[in-house]
Amino acid sequence: MEAAKKQQDQQMTTMYAILFAISTGHMLNDSFQAVVAAMFPILESSMGLTYAQIGWIAFVVNMTSSVMQPVFGLYADKKPTPFLLPFGMFLSLIGLVAFAYSPNFYLILLSVLFIGLGSAVFHPEGSRVAYMAAGKKRGLAQSIYQVGGNAGQSLAPIFTAYIFVPLGQIGAAWFAFAAGLGIIILSNVSKWYKKQIALFSIPKKQQSKTTEKNPMNRKVKVALILLIFLVFARSWYSAGIGNFYQFYLIGDYGLSIKQAQLYVFIYMIAGVIGTLFGGSLGDRFGRRNIIFLSLFGAAPLTLALPHVPLYMVIPLFFLIGVIVMSSFSVTVVYAQELVPNKIGMVSGLIVGLAFGMGAIGAVLFGTLADMFSIKFVMILCSVLPLLGIFTLFLPKDETLSKLTA
């Protein structure tokens, strides 16, 4: 009885040291993907790449991460593997060094493949660690974890302005040192993770009975598909802003590359703030409500953005970033509560789709920008948050436990 109570107490305790460590690992991991996006204006100039080719680079790094995340997540559900955390960082290190020295478009694609694969390996296990360390505060824990990733992504404009503009492509090699630091941090997290596996694992016999007794019912499947659709809408909007709005600022407002990066940074850092507070707001006001607000609630602002004068871009950008990204961690927790027996798989599916859908969007938007104009792409992106109206068809938070019972 005492052992069981001690185990339950451990599961209910929020481990902030582990959460901040895995969040730091997440920040480093996603900053490496940010290196790729940060290099786009440099590669366009030095290699003469088209918008479509830039879209394909974004597609490879993001789609690799997307497709493989659920695969590694499903594997982790069956056999948790702590060493995958530092191993994923090692794959990213290989990709970064190769990226710095790639002389042509095709080797660039190969190098970003390694960066995407490293991210795919890291994310499902990272989400599982955040789940284990959450205790009773799942929304807050997922926010701490996800805010690290969003902070890493938000650094892309800073990388461009202060590293790649002066140093060029070779500047990517400096991030190998950050990858080495990440390997050390995640190696220590994986030691804690290994000790926790026994506390959270379900015996195979019991797991088998649970699966037979509670197969995923039709309503859960429909809700999961709808949630994925909403992630799609948010991801395509973010892909348009993150990959191409810098070119819109340069072409339509006459800004320099460095100036444009600082504007995009405002959006990215606002997204970090939204992610940080979104999980706690979801715990308090309901996850479905926050998902609805983050998309449909942001629509009036996103629709206005392509048409406002330059002095209004920063305040609009900030508000849009905070609102849109407030649901980033909330959608993950909502999915975990929909499918509580497959934490790794469903986390990989939701977070992976955020990258994968953004990858498809990047290729489409790049092609459309070549065919029409960057402004056309920005106007197209601006209507995507209206799809948030479909959030109203998701089950309410209080009915989730009934669906999975």
Side-chain angles (χ1 to χ4, degrees):
M1 288 291 290
E2 289 184 8
K5 187 177 184 301
K6 184 178 179 181
Q7 179 177 336
Q8 187 178 18
D9 289 343
Q10 285 181 288
Q11 290 181 355
M12 290 297 102
T13 301
T14 304
M15 305 295 294
Y16 287 102
I18 296 299
L19 287 173
F20 286 119
I22 197 65
S23 181
T24 301
H26 199 184
M27 180 188 71
L28 292 172
N29 177 86
D30 284 23
S31 71
F32 302 149
Q33 288 189 264
V35 166
V36 178
M39 191 66 75
F40 287 162
I42 308 302
L43 295 177
E44 183 207 22
S45 175
S46 64
M47 291 188 179
L49 300 185
T50 66
Y51 288 131
Q53 286 176 312
I54 288 171
W56 276 109
I57 294 172
F59 175 85
V60 169
V61 66
N62 292 329
M63 184 54 74
T64 304
S65 174
S66 169
V67 170
M68 296 306 296
Q69 273 195 50
V71 175
F72 283 110
L74 188 60
Y75 175 79
D77 287 330
K78 294 180 179 178
K79 186 178 179 181
T81 312
F83 86 89
L84 285 179
L85 288 169
F87 178 68
M89 193 66 67
F90 176 72
L91 291 176
S92 294
L93 188 153
I94 295 173
L96 286 166
V97 174
F99 187 83
Y101 295 98
S102 294
N104 58 56
F105 171 67
Y106 297 102
L107 287 178
I108 288 286
L109 290 180
L110 181 61
S111 64
V112 300
L113 181 73
F114 275 90
I115 295 173
L117 188 58
S119 181
V121 171
F122 167 82
H123 274 101
E125 292 287 18
S127 289
R128 178 177 282 274
V129 168
Y131 181 85
M132 289 180 169
K136 296 180 181 180
K137 301 178 181 179
R138 290 185 183 175
L140 175 62
Q142 197 62 225
S143 285
I144 292 173
Y145 169 65
Q146 297 295 350
V147 81
N150 287 355
Q153 293 173 28
S154 73
L155 294 173
I158 301 300
F159 293 158
T160 302
Y162 296 104
I163 297 177
F164 298 130
V165 167
L167 296 180
Q169 186 178 339
I170 195 69
W174 287 96
F175 290 87
F177 295 104
L181 175 63
I183 290 171
I184 294 171
I185 292 172
L186 293 177
S187 294
N188 289 326
V189 172
S190 66
K191 293 176 183 177
W192 176 88
Y193 177 13
K194 188 175 181 180
K195 295 177 182 177
Q196 300 303 304
I197 291 174
L199 295 176
F200 286 84
S201 61
I202 302 173
K204 288 187 176 181
K205 290 183 179 179
Q206 183 181 341
Q207 193 174 31
S208 175
K209 290 179 181 177
T210 302
T211 304
E212 291 174 9
K213 184 179 178 182
N214 297 317
M216 191 185 297
N217 65 45
R218 182 178 175 277
K219 290 184 178 180
V220 170
K221 291 178 182 178
V222 171
L224 191 57
I225 291 170
L226 181 55
L227 188 65
I228 289 169
F229 174 76
L230 294 168
V231 169
F232 144 83
R234 187 189 66 209
S235 301
W236 273 39
Y237 182 78
S238 295
I241 295 297
N243 292 312
F244 295 105
Y245 194 78
Q246 56 191 317
F247 298 111
Y248 180 59
L249 288 168
I250 293 167
D252 283 56
Y253 290 98
L255 300 186
S256 67
I257 291 177
K258 189 172 183 178
Q259 288 172 327
Q261 299 309 310
L262 295 177
Y263 274 75
V264 176
F265 177 70
I266 295 295
Y267 173 80
M268 297 291 190
I269 204 67
V272 173
I273 296 171
T275 301
L276 179 62
F277 290 104
S280 296
L281 291 173
D283 286 340
R284 183 173 181 180
F285 298 108
R287 309 196 205 289
R288 194 184 78 154
N289 293 336
I290 297 301
I291 295 170
F292 176 77
L293 176 65
S294 76
L295 287 171
F296 197 74
L301 302 178
T302 63
L303 289 168
L305 182 64
H307 310 286
V308 298
L310 184 61
Y311 72 88
M312 289 187 64
V313 170
I314 285 181
L316 272 182
F317 241 12
F318 183 82
L319 289 173
I320 291 170
V322 170
I323 296 170
V324 168
M325 296 308 293
S326 65
S327 67
F328 196 92
S329 60
V330 177
T331 51
V332 177
V333 177
Y334 189 96
Q336 289 175 343
E337 292 181 350
L338 266 178
V339 192
N341 293 326
K342 296 186 181 295
I343 297 299
M345 184 275 287
V346 78
S347 299
L349 189 65
I350 295 298
V351 179
L353 275 170
F355 291 105
M357 290 299 182
I360 296 171
V363 173
L364 175 63
F365 293 151
T367 303
L368 290 175
D370 285 334
M371 292 173 60
F372 301 104
S373 68
I374 284 291
K375 185 164 187 176
F376 173 81
V377 170
M378 291 300 102
I379 292 173
L380 179 62
C381 287
S382 71
V383 304
L384 290 172
L386 288 172
L387 297 175
I389 192 69
F390 288 98
T391 306
L392 298 177
F393 296 100
L394 282 175
K396 295 180 179 179
D397 292 42
E398 53 267 25
T399 64
L400 287 180
S401 58
K402 296 177 183 177
L403 287 177
T404 57

